[in-house]
């Protein structure tokens, strides 16, 4: 069952479009995302997947169209305001606080979620609950032993895990993963996939996943949408979408051609 | 000017430990035995200056150190912790000084008028800091710095032009409330050979207010709020994506920093019984502040204490030291001329270049590194 027809979607884009000069990077994309569903967004390089994510999470402003979260139009809100409304994003290029420890990176996410950032007259470590929670998240991504290491000294795979940890710590309603396993070594990938699987199993989480690896997409997704040149060209159950001619041509064909 | 901190901050202090010092120092201890000793020595010397040294110059030097510790620490909150490069810090210092000076001159030498002057100055500083913050913290860092420079220059011109109110280039001399005047005697008998007069009370007023404001600033940089500032400094984009309103946090940091600088300016004016462009508003003070932050160690707070103490001492006593050295070497070729007191600025400059080169993390950064 494709759940795009359920009553109130957690996230919806309506005619979302962005132009850079004459180039239309995302073109009139309307799509609904419902809780308990993991939607994979696939498409060739330059199809507009990350741009679509940027429009949703607020790093880019749409030329036209709307982004709606739980019924509220958030198109005009800043990235931070969207985060506070339950949109969580892990970035494709690792985007952390390079000189703060892994624990502090996660603690800052927990602190934001707890809305404790404006507390000025208490010492930060008086909020033991925030530290405990950050530590438990690090445990979940198997980085507990590296809690005092700064990201700049972590391996690429560990940085990717930390990126995922920040997203988990935010406890968003909508999880947006942008190629979470890119550049990871083969033995590290299962940890991250397991985490995404766990999140998906919670019925209230809405998960969006941009991913190139078709085996990952097949194993995790409930639904696939295909972007090609910024346009939504296919939307449906994984098996059907992968088999459809438009996808074979637009995406998988190109993959095959490249070998 | 690089805005990176003196060293990676200590995030291993996750176990909240009790104890007097952790409470007072907001769990941000010096983390170096030598640094602890230096800080303790500075604290004790400043606390005991009136009883250790005679004459007015040591006391004035000590008062100036106290004021500059607050001024430099508040600038470190901006530069070291928030990564904001502002050149308007002396403007807020000046507003504090003029607030006290104008109020005491116009309204008479009472505590009430000092309070009115300080409150007005704090209000004006807060409004200006919010305005600068909201108008310009959205733009790129270099433009923000340029805007603060322009505003600070405008304020300096305004202060010298409005001579009816500010005394222009001459500044304002004024009377202090009676309890702070030299003629006032708290005790009829001298204490440890030092008369307990209004001057002594004024010194301890400056000392204790400076100490409290410094400890409050230390608390703020170690609060959840301070942690957000450091996160924004590290990666503004990510902080925003985590849900922190970057412009609001930066504006708040600017306001807190401006308020502390205003208090420092008020203390300076109270101590000097005078305020003018050269004592609080001039751009050369801005450069001194920058040097003190960098020499002491950016993003450490304790760097402000060490930097201010060293700098003010050098400013006050390098000439004296050089005169002694020059006299001792009289008769030798070149050397007496080289360390003639008239060359003191050359040697001060050389000291700074050497210290910045040798200790890129400032003195505090160097000491902490050595302590590990």
């Amino acid at each position: 069952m494709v759940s795009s027809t359920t009553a109130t979607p957690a996230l919806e884009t309506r005619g979302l479009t962005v132009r850079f000069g004459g180039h239309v990077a995302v073109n009139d994309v309307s799509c609904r995302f419902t809780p308990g569903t993991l939607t994979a967004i696939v498409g060739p390089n330059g199809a507009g997947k990350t741009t679509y994510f940027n429009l949703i999470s607020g790093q880019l402003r749409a030329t036209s169209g709307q982004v709606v979260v739980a019924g509220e139009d958030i198109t005009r809100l800043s990235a931070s305001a969207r985060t506070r409304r339950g949109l969580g994003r892990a970035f494709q290029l690792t985007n952390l606080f390079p000189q703060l420890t892994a624990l502090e990176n996660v603690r800052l996410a927990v602190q934001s979620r707890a809305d404790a950032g404006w507390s000025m007259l208490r010492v930060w470590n008086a909020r033991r609950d925030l530290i405990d929670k950050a530590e438990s998240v690090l445990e979940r991504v198997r980085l507990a032993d590296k809690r005092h290491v700064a990201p700049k000294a972590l391996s690429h795979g560990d940085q990717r895990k930390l990126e995922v940890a920040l997203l988990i710590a935010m406890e968003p309603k909508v999880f947006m993963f942008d190629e979470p396993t890119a550049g990871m070594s083969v033995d590290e990938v299962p940890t991250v996939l397991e985490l995404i699987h766990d999140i998906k199993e919670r019925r209230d989480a809405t998960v969006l996943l941009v991913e190139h690896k078709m085996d990952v997409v097949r194993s995790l997704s409930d639904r696939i949408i295909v972007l090609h040149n910024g346009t939504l060209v296919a939307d449906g159950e994984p098996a059907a979408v992968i088999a459809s001619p438009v996808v074979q041509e637009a995406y998988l064909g190109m993959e095959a051609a490249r070998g | 000017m690089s805005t990176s901190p003196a060293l990676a901050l200590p995030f291993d202090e996750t176990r909240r430990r009790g104890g007097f010092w952790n409470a007072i120092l907001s769990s941000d201890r010096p983390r170096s035995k030598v640094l602890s000793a230096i800080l303790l020595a500075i604290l004790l010397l400043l606390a005991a200056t009136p009883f250790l040294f005679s004459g007015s110059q040591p006391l004035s030097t000590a008062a100036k150190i106290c004021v500059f510790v607050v001024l430099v620490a508040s600038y470190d909150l901006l530069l070291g912790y928030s990564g904001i490069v502002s050149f308007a810090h002396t403007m807020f210092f000046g507003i504090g000084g003029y607030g006290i000076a104008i109020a005491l001159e116009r309204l008479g030498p009472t505590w009430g008028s000092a309070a009115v002057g300080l409150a007005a100055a704090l209000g004006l500083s807060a409004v200006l800091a919010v305005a600068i913050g909201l108008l310009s913290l959205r733009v790129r860092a270099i433009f923000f710095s340029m805007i603060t420079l322009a505003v600070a220059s405008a304020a300096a011109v305004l202060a010298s032009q409005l001579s009816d109110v500010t005394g222009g280039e001459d500044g304002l001399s004024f009377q202090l409330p009676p309890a702070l005047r030299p003629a006032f005697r708290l005790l009829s008998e001298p204490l440890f050979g030092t008369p307990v007069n209004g001057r002594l009370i004024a010194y301890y007023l400056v000392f204790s207010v400076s100490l409290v404001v410094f400890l409050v600033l230390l608390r703020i940089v170690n609060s959840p709020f301070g942690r957000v500032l450091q996160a924004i400094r590290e990666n503004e984009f990510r902080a925003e994506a985590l849900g922190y309103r970057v412009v609001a946090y930066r504006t708040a940091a600017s306001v807190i920093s401006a308020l502390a600088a205003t208090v420092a300016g008020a203390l300076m004016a109270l101590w000097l019984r005078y305020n003018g462009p050269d004592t609080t508003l001039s751009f050369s003070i801005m450069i001194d502040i920058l040097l003190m932050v960098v020499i002491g160690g950016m993003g450490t707070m304790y760097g402000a204490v060490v930097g201010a103490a060293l700098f003010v001492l050098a400013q006050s006593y390098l000439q004296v030291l050089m005169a002694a050295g020059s006299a001792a070497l009289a008769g030798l070729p070149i050397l007496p001329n080289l360390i003639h007191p008239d060359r003191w600025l050359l040697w001060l400059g050389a000291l700074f270049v050497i210290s910045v080169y040798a200790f890129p993390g400032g003195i505090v950064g160097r000491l902490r590194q050595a302590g590990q």
Side-chain angles (χ1 to χ4, degrees):
Chain A
M1 186 208 79
V2 175
S3 34
S4 60
T5 50
T6 313
T8 33
L11 169 69
E12 184 180 1
T13 66
R14 296 177 188 154
L16 203 59
T17 303
V18 68
R19 287 191 192 85
F20 302 112
H23 174 63
V24 186
V26 171
N27 188 8
D28 194 24
V29 176
S30 296
C31 204
R32 301 171 138 218
F33 303 94
T34 46
T37 309
L38 188 147
T39 307
I41 301 167
V42 302
N45 284 327
K49 304 181 299 285
T50 297
T51 309
Y52 184 52
F53 262 25
N54 283 338
L55 290 174
I56 294 172
S57 60
Q59 273 76 32
L60 264 180
R61 292 303 164 93
T63 312
S64 62
Q66 288 160 2
V67 181
V68 179
V69 167
E72 184 192 359
D73 184 350
I74 60 159
T75 320
R76 308 236 155 267
L77 298 183
S78 67
S80 67
R82 294 179 194 207
T83 302
R84 290 194 298 277
R85 277 165 181 74
L87 278 184
R89 166 98 185 260
F91 292 88
Q92 181 183 13
L93 299 171
T94 303
N95 203 329
L96 300 157
F97 304 107
Q99 300 198 61
L100 311 181
T101 61
L103 179 63
E104 180 63 7
N105 269 270
V106 180
R107 202 196 60 83
L108 281 161
V110 174
Q111 179 178 290
S112 172
R113 184 70 178 81
D115 207 9
W118 284 101
S119 158
M120 290 185 195
L121 294 177
R122 293 179 79 178
V123 182
W124 65 277
N125 64 13
R127 286 298 299 268
R128 186 67 222 171
D129 55 326
L130 302 184
I131 299 168
D132 287 340
K133 210 173 135 201
E135 284 183 331
S136 78
V137 172
L138 278 180
E139 203 110 349
R140 276 184 71 188
V141 300
R142 318 244 165 92
L143 279 178
D145 54 329
K146 288 168 182 150
R147 53 205 281 278
H148 293 314
V149 181
K152 59 176 182 175
L154 287 175
S155 71
H156 178 78
D158 284 344
Q159 289 184 13
R160 302 296 303 155
K161 284 193 224 165
L162 190 54
E163 183 75 43
V164 173
L166 259 63
L167 182 54
I168 293 173
M170 290 298 302
E171 296 180 342
K173 295 192 190 81
V174 180
F175 291 76
M176 302 167 71
F177 292 98
D178 197 349
E179 296 194 40
T181 62
M184 272 189 149
S185 67
V186 181
D187 52 322
E188 286 173 318
V189 171
T191 310
V192 171
L193 295 187
E194 227 172 88
L195 286 165
I196 297 174
H197 183 78
D198 289 351
I199 291 166
K200 177 191 136 179
E201 287 302 296
R202 285 173 28 207
R203 306 300 303 164
D204 55 341
T206 307
V207 187
L208 277 64
L209 171 69
V210 167
E211 185 55 74
H212 268 298
K213 298 177 185 126
M214 281 316 285
D215 53 332
V216 171
V217 171
R218 260 193 215 99
S219 70
L220 282 177
S221 58
D222 305 305
R223 171 191 177 198
I224 298 180
I225 63 176
V226 183
L227 288 181
H228 185 53
N229 291 334
T231 309
L232 188 77
V233 293
D235 180 353
E237 283 180 33
V241 170
I242 290 168
S244 69
V246 62
V247 171
Q248 292 295 328
E249 192 189 331
Y251 177 55
L252 303 170
M254 287 177 73
E255 288 278 287
R258 266 188 285 158
Chain B
M1 176 78 42
S2 160
T3 55
S4 64
L7 74 172
L9 284 143
F11 291 114
D12 49 335
E13 294 269 326
T14 54
R15 305 286 153 191
R16 182 164 167 75
R17 277 179 286 173
F20 175 75
W21 287 111
N22 277 326
I24 289 284
L25 302 180
S26 306
S27 289
D28 184 7
R29 306 182 64 152
R31 299 199 313 285
S32 151
K33 284 199 176 104
V34 182
L35 179 59
S36 301
I38 292 173
L39 290 170
L40 202 61
I42 292 173
L43 177 71
L44 292 177
L45 279 173
L46 288 175
T49 300
F51 302 100
L52 291 177
F53 308 97
S54 59
S56 67
Q57 210 209 344
L59 200 59
S60 284
T61 305
K64 198 174 172 192
I65 290 174
C66 293
V67 170
F68 271 83
V69 165
V70 172
L71 188 61
V72 175
S74 63
Y75 194 68
D76 196 23
L77 172 74
L78 273 191
L79 182 67
Y81 286 86
S82 314
I84 298 172
V85 184
S86 163
F87 295 113
H89 211 56
T90 45
M91 177 175 79
F92 300 114
F93 191 47
I95 288 173
Y98 278 113
I100 288 289
I102 294 169
L104 286 179
E105 203 222 2
R106 293 287 168 105
L107 305 176
T110 63
W111 287 108
S113 31
V116 169
L118 180 61
L122 288 172
L124 178 61
S125 288
V127 169
L128 278 173
V130 169
I132 296 175
L134 290 182
L135 286 178
S136 54
L137 278 172
R138 292 164 198 274
V139 301
R140 292 236 312 277
I142 181 77
F143 295 114
F144 175 79
S145 303
M146 292 299 115
I147 288 166
T148 60
L149 193 58
V151 173
S153 305
V157 171
L158 199 66
S160 76
Q161 292 296 310
L162 291 174
S163 48
D164 289 347
V165 185
T166 62
E169 291 295 321
D170 295 334
L172 289 172
S173 292
F174 53 90
Q175 286 261 308
L176 291 177
L180 298 180
R181 290 180 200 165
F184 178 82
R185 287 275 184 281
L186 187 65
L187 304 174
S188 52
E189 293 301 310
L191 189 67
F192 307 119
T194 305
V196 183
N197 59 14
R199 209 67 191 132
L200 195 82
I201 297 171
Y203 176 75
Y204 280 109
L205 179 70
V206 171
F207 173 80
S208 47
V209 173
S210 299
L211 183 62
V212 168
V213 175
F214 175 79
L215 291 175
V216 169
L217 289 172
L218 187 64
R219 171 60 58 96
I220 289 172
V221 299
N222 285 295
S223 69
F225 171 78
R227 290 291 168 121
V228 178
L229 295 183
Q230 292 164 55
I232 292 171
R233 178 197 70 202
E234 290 271 304
N235 188 343
E236 175 184 342
F237 173 85
R238 191 52 156 134
E240 179 84 23
L242 278 186
Y244 293 116
R245 274 172 293 184
V246 168
V247 172
Y249 277 92
R250 282 203 172 139
T251 304
S254 300
V255 171
I256 293 165
S257 167
L259 293 180
T262 306
V263 171
L267 293 175
M268 191 83 243
L270 276 178
W271 177 253
L272 295 174
R273 291 166 284 179
Y274 164 82
N275 190 61
D278 293 338
T279 56
T280 52
L281 211 53
S282 83
F283 195 71
S284 72
I285 297 176
M286 192 64 243
I287 293 168
D288 291 350
I289 297 171
L290 275 165
L291 284 169
M292 286 185 238
V293 170
V294 172
I295 289 168
M298 262 195 282
T300 63
M301 277 293 145
Y302 295 116
V305 181
V306 179
L310 203 68
F311 191 98
V312 175
L313 278 177
Q315 258 184 341
S316 308
Y317 291 105
L318 196 59
Q319 270 178 293
V320 180
L321 201 70
M322 286 174 66
S326 185
L329 295 174
L332 293 171
I334 306 172
L335 277 177
N337 279 327
L338 209 58
I339 57 171
H340 190 275
D342 287 351
R343 316 267 185 280
W344 77 281
L345 267 175
L346 171 79
W347 286 102
L348 195 63
L351 272 180
F352 293 143
V353 173
I354 292 165
S355 68
V356 170
Y357 185 75
F359 316 125
I363 293 169
V364 169
R366 183 76 193 86
L367 289 175
R368 283 180 172 171
Q369 224 174 13
Q372 275 166 9

